[in-house]
């Protein structure tokens, strides 16, 4: 009976066929949708874990950017006298670090997906992409707190009568799009790195270091406009540059808002994300054997 | 036979041996630099046997090779094999944790695997939150979990601690909770690996009951365990894996017996005299042992109706003050003791020489199944002195030819009669009115 499957059994409609490495484009996106509750549970877990472990947990998200901003204000504006586009330095740096931190945190955290979850991944199947996705979503909490800080600072400066011109309608439409791009880019880069680091774990050190360096290659502590023209092209190649500049110009009314740069960032994000998902999908099937 | 819900075709999994990465680039670079200078690999394990004879063969090892089997709907299939036989790899592929190298598994219905209970439990979260998290990891939707929450909590017996963080739970409680979540999964196929290792006896019984329910409710169960008793009570059929190959696909009792006797040529008959390290002590040596039918012929299978005898041959090297007594330890396939037996009046047999000890075990004492017989010799001289004790030295399969015994001995009952013994006792049933 084993050697001769009956005609009826060969015509059976199997719900799942487990085979060797599948093609590049079998992404099982339907699976991802079926497990959407898990995404929510992971986000909740991350939130509760941070919230419960220390009373200061969420407050750290608040203190950290404030301290960073303060440091930047003293060093770059106070000591180095770098331009802040005529804006109050505090506000300028806050508007730069808020989106940058979101991107950087997404990237750093997702870049260790496989390593951090090796134990879980080794025991049970679920679409692996859920994990980095949940990180991108739960990092929004951190972003929200920092964003709140920015809004308060902005409100305070506006009350003081500072010369700032937020673009309200632009903010409403632009903010979600910019966040989406930041998250997407962070996720894309993160999953690519996490896929590549399944074999070599010490590459992860490079990530933390690289992200720190990358901040200086991005107009976070200086406006894009001050860059010398011959270097400007290279700065604009950085896909985050356009996003941060756009963010700052929406909220503070100063800086370079360029559709061309944003379009380039959007295209770059989409490509990175696609490539990331493809590689991630490729690696997830067998990474348990190499980790 | 009902439809098959799992079909495994020519499944193979290849693992790479040898130069598996050390995990960091710096180590690999360092290793390469050492090799360039002709030094030894700095990360090779100290004390590792460098087996030259095998080195040339291949850098790859088959964890699974050409596995074929089918599982019918509602069937409880046991997967047994020694450590490293490929059981875990098979389960990992089944639960999609890793992919096979070639071949395929076709599955019909939702498959839920419990390779380890409490996967993804977060210590900071409460019991309730963890139920939801764990359920979601196992593929349950939120509303499904909410529907079953009461049953899950009830089954786990953790109701009082539901809103306490799991980090304050005892390990037993964590396992209870985790098993409860999994037990109420609505999957058509359940893959379970050794989860019953933890938990107290009462809870183990509960789990076993639940798993039997699962099997009875038409769901399919794949069960991996080293506990042969559990396997034989839960599964009707087992597959035995040996070094990555499927060596047997048989009814549970046959598979269990084969599992135990693997590596021993004649388990019902054993010669110990040529052992490199003889089984001896206190001047006594075990020479041989056998399970025999009543005419003295060594056999593997004994009809439950007829008696059989166990023979042990030993040698006393020197004269002793008090004669030793031989004793046989009979255990069932799960390793539980059934009885220990020893002859009376052997203390006078003190002289050196070769002895034969034969114990007659009547029919209808042991139930049908696989039993193991440990051979031992003991002196009672200033306390207990064990000369030798060869645990599970012999193996006997008691079979009940149901077609022959159905009407005469089993009152027409054709099912399994539980218990390690099945004695025929005197009964008195009288009609009172």
């Amino acid at each position: 009976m084993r050697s001769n499957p009956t005609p009826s059994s060969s015509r059976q409609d199997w719900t799942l066929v487990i085979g060797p490495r599948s093609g590049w484009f079998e992404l099982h996106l339907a699976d991802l949708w079926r497990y959407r509750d898990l995404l929510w549970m992971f986000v909740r877990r991350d939130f509760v874990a941070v919230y419960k472990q220390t009373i200061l947990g969420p407050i750290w998200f608040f203190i950290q950017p404030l301290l960073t901003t303060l440091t930047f204000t003293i060093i770059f504006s106070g000591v180095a006298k770098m331009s802040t586009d005529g804006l109050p330095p505090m506000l300028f740096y806050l508007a730069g670090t808020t989106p940058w931190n979101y991107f950087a945190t997404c990237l750093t955290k997702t870049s260790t997906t496989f390593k951090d979850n090796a134990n879980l991944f080794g025991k049970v199947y679920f679409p692996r992409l859920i994990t980095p996705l949940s990180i991108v979503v739960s990092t929004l909490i951190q972003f929200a707190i920092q964003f709140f800080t920015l809004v308060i600072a902005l409100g305070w400066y506006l009350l003081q009568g500072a010369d700032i011109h937020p673009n309200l309608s632009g903010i409403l439409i632009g903010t979600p799009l910019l966040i989406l791009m930041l998250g997407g880019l962070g996720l894309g880069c993160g999953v690519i790195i996490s896929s590549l680091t399944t074999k070599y774990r010490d590459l992860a050190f490079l990530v933390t270091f690289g992200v720190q360096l990358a901040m200086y290659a991005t107009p976070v502590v200086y406006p894009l406009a001050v860059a010398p023209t011959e270097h400007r092209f290279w700065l604009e190649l950085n896909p985050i540059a356009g996003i941060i500049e756009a963010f700052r110009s929406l909220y503070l009314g100063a800086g370079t808002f360029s559709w061309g740069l944003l379009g380039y960032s959007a295209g770059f994000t989409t490509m990175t994300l696609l490539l990331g998902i493809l590689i991630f999908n490729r690696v997830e099937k067998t990474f348990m054997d190499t980790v | 036979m009902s439809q098959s819900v799992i079909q495994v075709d020519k499944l193979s999994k290849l693992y790479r041996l040898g130069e598996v990465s050390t995990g960091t680039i710096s180590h690999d670079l360092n290793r390469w630099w050492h090799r360039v200078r002709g030094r030894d690999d700095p990360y090779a394990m100290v004390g590792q046997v460098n087996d030259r004879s095998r080195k040339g063969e291949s850098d790859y090892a088959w964890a699974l090779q050409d596995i074929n089997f089918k599982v019918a709907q509602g069937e409880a299939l046991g997967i047994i094999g020694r450590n490293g036989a490929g059981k875990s790899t098979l389960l990992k592929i089944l639960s999609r944790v890793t992919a096979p190298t070639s071949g395929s598994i076709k599955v019909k219905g939702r498959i839920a695997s419990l390779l380890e209970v409490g996967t993804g439990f977060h210590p900071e979260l409460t019991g309730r939150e963890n139920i939801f998290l764990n359920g979601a990891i196992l593929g349950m939707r939120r509303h499904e979990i909410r529907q079953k929450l009461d049953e899950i909590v009830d089954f786990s017996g953790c109701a009082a601690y539901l809103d306490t963080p799991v980090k304050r739970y005892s390990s037993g409680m964590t396992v209870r909770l985790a098993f409860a979540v999994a037990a109420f999964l609505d999957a058509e196929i359940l893959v379970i690996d050794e989860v019953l290792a933890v938990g107290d006896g009462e809870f183990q019984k509960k789990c076993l009951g639940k798993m039997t329910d699962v099997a009875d409710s038409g769901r399919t169960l794949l069960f991996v365990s080293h506990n042969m008793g559990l396997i034989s009570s839960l599964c009707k059929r087992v597959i035995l894996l040996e070094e990555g190959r499927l060596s047997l696909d048989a009814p549970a009792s046959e598979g269990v017996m084969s599992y135990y006797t693997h590596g021993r040529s004649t388990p019902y008959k054993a010669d110990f005299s040529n052992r490199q390290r003889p089984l001896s002590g206190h001047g006594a040596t075990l020479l041989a042992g056998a399970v025999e039918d009543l005419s003295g012929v060594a056999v593997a299978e004994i009809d439950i109706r007829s008696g059989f005898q166990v023979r042990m041959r030993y040698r006393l090297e020197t004269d002793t003050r008090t004669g030793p007594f031989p004793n046989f330890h009979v255990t069932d396939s799960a390793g539980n003791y059934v009885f220990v037996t020893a002859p009376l009046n052997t203390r006078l047999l003190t002289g050196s020489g070769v002895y034969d000890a034969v114990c007659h075990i009547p029919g209808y004492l042991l139930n049908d199944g696989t039993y193991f017989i440990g051979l031992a010799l003991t002196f009672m001289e200033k306390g207990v002195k064990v000369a030798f004790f060869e645990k599970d030295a012999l193996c006997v399969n008691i079979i009940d030819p149901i077609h022959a015994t159905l009407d005469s001995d089993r009152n027409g009952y054709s099912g399994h009669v539980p218990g390690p013994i099945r004695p025929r006792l005197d009964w008195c049933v009288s009609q009172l009115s």
Side-chain angles (χ1 to χ4, degrees):
Chain A
M1 138 128 210
R2 183 162 303 116
S3 51
N4 299 319
T6 52
S8 71
S9 77
S10 61
R11 254 188 275 119
Q12 280 173 342
D13 41 337
W14 303 102
T15 48
L16 171 70
V17 176
I18 302 168
R21 234 178 237 256
S22 55
W24 280 95
F25 292 97
E26 275 178 55
L27 296 178
H28 306 290
L29 292 179
D31 254 10
L32 209 59
W33 177 245
R34 205 164 65 73
Y35 274 85
R36 60 192 180 278
D37 281 347
L38 182 59
L39 177 73
W40 164 241
M41 290 309 303
F42 275 152
V43 172
R44 213 182 122 80
R45 176 194 67 182
D46 290 350
F47 178 70
V48 174
V50 168
Y51 183 76
K52 276 189 179 170
Q53 259 158 8
T54 58
I55 311 168
L56 279 181
I59 296 176
W60 273 122
F61 293 153
F62 181 76
I63 293 175
Q64 189 201 334
L66 272 186
L67 284 178
T68 317
T69 310
L70 205 67
T71 318
F72 287 173
T73 310
I74 293 168
I75 294 177
F76 296 118
S77 176
V79 179
K81 304 267 186 258
M82 277 169 76
S83 157
T84 56
D85 254 0
L87 294 164
M90 189 81 179
L91 210 51
F92 178 85
Y93 295 130
L94 214 48
T97 48
T98 303
W100 171 261
N101 277 350
Y102 180 59
F103 164 77
T105 313
C106 283
L107 192 154
T108 332
K109 278 199 192 163
T110 50
S111 70
T112 51
T113 305
F114 281 118
K115 196 188 83 185
D116 292 348
N117 295 285
N119 194 32
L120 183 58
F121 285 2
K123 297 298 178 193
V124 61
Y125 170 82
F126 55 86
R128 306 312 192 202
L129 208 52
I130 291 273
T131 320
L133 270 177
S134 77
I135 291 171
V136 171
V137 176
S138 64
T139 307
L140 276 178
I141 299 162
Q142 177 197 328
F143 176 78
I145 293 169
Q146 300 187 358
F147 182 73
F148 185 63
T149 320
L150 172 68
V151 170
I152 289 187
L154 185 59
W156 192 76
Y157 275 102
L158 281 175
L159 281 179
Q160 300 287 311
D163 186 23
I164 306 163
H165 309 284
N167 178 349
L168 265 181
S169 55
I171 286 175
L172 286 179
I173 305 167
T175 312
L177 284 177
L178 292 180
I179 294 175
L180 203 66
M181 273 159 72
L182 286 169
L185 197 55
L187 175 68
C189 296
V191 293
I192 291 177
I193 296 168
S194 75
S195 307
L196 299 182
T197 47
T198 50
K199 198 171 169 218
Y200 293 117
R201 293 186 184 187
D202 50 354
L203 282 185
F205 295 117
L206 222 60
V207 174
T208 334
F209 182 58
V211 167
Q212 263 173 6
L213 280 186
M215 192 188 80
Y216 295 101
T218 311
V220 174
V221 293
Y222 55 87
L224 184 60
V226 301
T229 15
E230 69 264 32
H231 294 148
R232 189 162 165 157
F233 170 75
W234 297 107
L235 273 179
E236 285 175 352
L237 265 189
N238 178 351
I240 322 158
I243 306 177
I244 303 242
E245 279 291 313
F247 189 87
R248 202 145 46 197
S249 80
L250 287 182
Y251 281 85
L252 307 181
T256 326
F257 185 93
S258 149
W259 285 110
L261 275 185
L262 267 185
Y264 163 70
S265 301
F268 195 94
T269 304
T270 317
M271 291 307 294
T272 314
L273 205 51
L274 267 178
L275 186 69
I277 292 173
L278 287 180
I279 297 180
F280 189 86
N281 185 58
R282 189 82 171 156
V283 169
E284 71 161 35
K285 281 200 119 183
T286 48
F287 98 97
M288 275 320 297
D289 309 335
T290 53
V291 93
Chain B
M1 192 177 153
S2 49
Q3 276 186 320
S4 42
V5 289
I6 299 177
Q7 186 179 324
V8 179
D9 287 318
K10 298 198 174 106
L11 192 75
S12 298
K13 174 81 184 173
L14 192 66
Y15 276 112
R16 193 167 166 214
L17 293 180
E19 274 187 30
V20 175
S21 162
T22 52
T24 64
I25 276 193
S26 55
H27 282 194
D28 274 8
L29 284 178
N30 196 3
R31 174 145 79 184
W32 172 79
W33 177 234
H34 274 71
R35 202 169 47 213
V36 167
R37 292 178 297 161
R39 305 272 184 85
D40 284 339
D41 183 347
Y43 301 104
M45 300 263 191
V46 177
Q48 203 175 38
V49 182
N50 192 358
D51 194 346
R52 276 158 208 277
S53 63
R54 291 188 54 181
K55 204 160 187 180
E57 284 174 21
S58 139
D59 277 344
Y60 296 90
W62 291 99
L64 287 177
Q65 205 169 3
D66 200 21
I67 305 285
N68 295 287
F69 65 91
K70 283 181 185 177
V71 187
Q73 193 197 336
E75 196 176 11
L77 177 75
I79 300 170
I80 58 178
R82 316 247 151 223
N83 287 334
K87 303 184 300 291
S88 301
T89 309
L90 180 59
L91 285 202
K92 276 186 178 167
I93 296 172
L94 256 172
S95 43
R96 292 202 278 167
V97 165
T98 186
T101 307
S102 66
S104 70
I105 302 179
K106 297 192 183 99
V107 181
K108 201 187 295 174
R110 212 158 87 171
I111 186 165
S113 59
L114 258 162
L115 300 199
E116 191 184 87
V117 287
T119 343
F121 263 37
H122 195 287
E124 293 289 339
L125 301 185
T126 66
R128 187 196 306 275
E129 288 166 329
N130 266 313
I131 292 179
F132 279 94
L133 177 62
N134 197 227
I137 288 177
L138 293 172
M140 276 201 266
R141 300 295 317 280
R142 225 138 53 89
H143 58 84
E144 284 178 69
I145 307 170
R146 206 172 294 130
Q147 252 170 28
K148 291 184 177 160
L149 189 63
D150 288 340
E151 281 179 280
I152 293 174
V153 172
D154 196 43
F155 186 84
S156 70
C158 292
Y161 311 99
L162 203 56
D163 292 308
T164 309
V166 163
K167 65 177 172 185
R168 308 211 194 290
Y169 279 34
S170 71
S171 60
M173 255 158 64
T174 316
V175 172
R176 281 159 169 261
L177 195 65
F179 186 85
V181 178
F184 286 93
L185 270 178
D186 252 344
E188 287 85 3
I189 301 162
L190 210 55
V191 180
I192 299 181
D193 185 10
E194 301 264 25
V195 283
L196 294 173
V198 211
D200 54 22
E202 177 219 8
F203 189 70
Q204 285 194 10
K205 220 169 180 184
K206 221 166 160 183
C207 296
L208 204 62
K210 183 73 199 169
M211 278 154 73
T212 319
D213 286 352
V214 166
D216 289 347
S217 67
R219 291 198 269 164
T220 310
L221 187 69
L222 264 70
F223 186 54
V224 172
S225 179
H226 286 289
N227 184 337
M228 291 303 134
L230 216 55
I231 287 272
S232 26
S233 63
L234 211 58
C235 308
K236 293 222 163 48
R237 185 182 140 212
V238 299
I239 56 173
L240 175 64
L241 296 178
E242 270 172 26
E243 289 167 359
R245 288 170 188 277
L246 198 154
S247 65
L248 188 74
D249 182 340
S253 67
E254 204 180 307
V256 167
M257 172 133 181
S258 171
Y259 170 83
Y260 280 119
T261 58
H262 164 72
R264 269 181 264 171
S265 48
T266 48
Y268 57 94
K269 200 172 100 184
D271 184 359
F272 301 101
S273 57
N274 295 326
R275 286 266 182 115
Q276 282 193 323
R277 290 185 53 190
L279 289 154
S280 57
H282 301 286
T285 307
L286 174 63
L287 298 177
V291 173
E292 299 171 347
D293 64 12
L294 294 177
S295 55
V297 178
V299 285
E301 268 183 10
I302 302 290
D303 191 311
I304 189 168
R305 295 169 292 181
S306 56
F308 64 100
Q309 56 196 32
V310 181
R311 181 184 300 272
M312 174 172 93
R313 186 160 298 168
Y314 60 95
R315 184 174 58 226
L316 296 185
E317 317 291 350
T318 52
D319 289 346
T320 56
R321 214 156 52 79
T322 2
F325 63 92
N327 45 100
F328 297 160
H329 299 238
V330 179
T331 52
D332 67 11
S333 54
N336 301 314
Y337 263 92
V338 181
F339 61 80
V340 177
T341 179
L344 310 172
N345 310 322
T346 54
R347 298 170 70 108
L348 302 174
L349 300 169
T350 55
S352 64
V354 175
Y355 291 81
D356 227 12
V358 180
C359 172
H360 177 254
I361 295 171
Y364 278 117
L365 174 63
L366 292 171
N367 198 356
D368 57 342
T370 306
Y371 294 89
F372 294 87
I373 300 161
L375 304 177
L377 191 73
T378 311
F379 289 94
M380 287 301 291
E381 233 177 32
K382 297 175 193 157
V384 182
K385 281 183 184 150
V386 179
F388 56 77
F389 176 27
E390 177 71 346
K391 202 172 170 296
D392 302 345
L394 302 171
C395 177
V396 58
N397 221 10
I398 312 281
I399 53 158
D400 182 359
I402 293 184
H403 56 91
T405 58
L406 186 61
D407 291 323
S408 53
D409 299 358
R410 306 183 108 217
N411 300 310
Y413 172 74
S414 62
H416 176 67
V417 182
I421 61 170
R422 203 202 289 178
R424 310 184 102 185
L425 304 172
D426 284 335
W427 275 74
C428 180
V429 183
S430 50
Q431 189 168 10
L432 294 180
S433 60

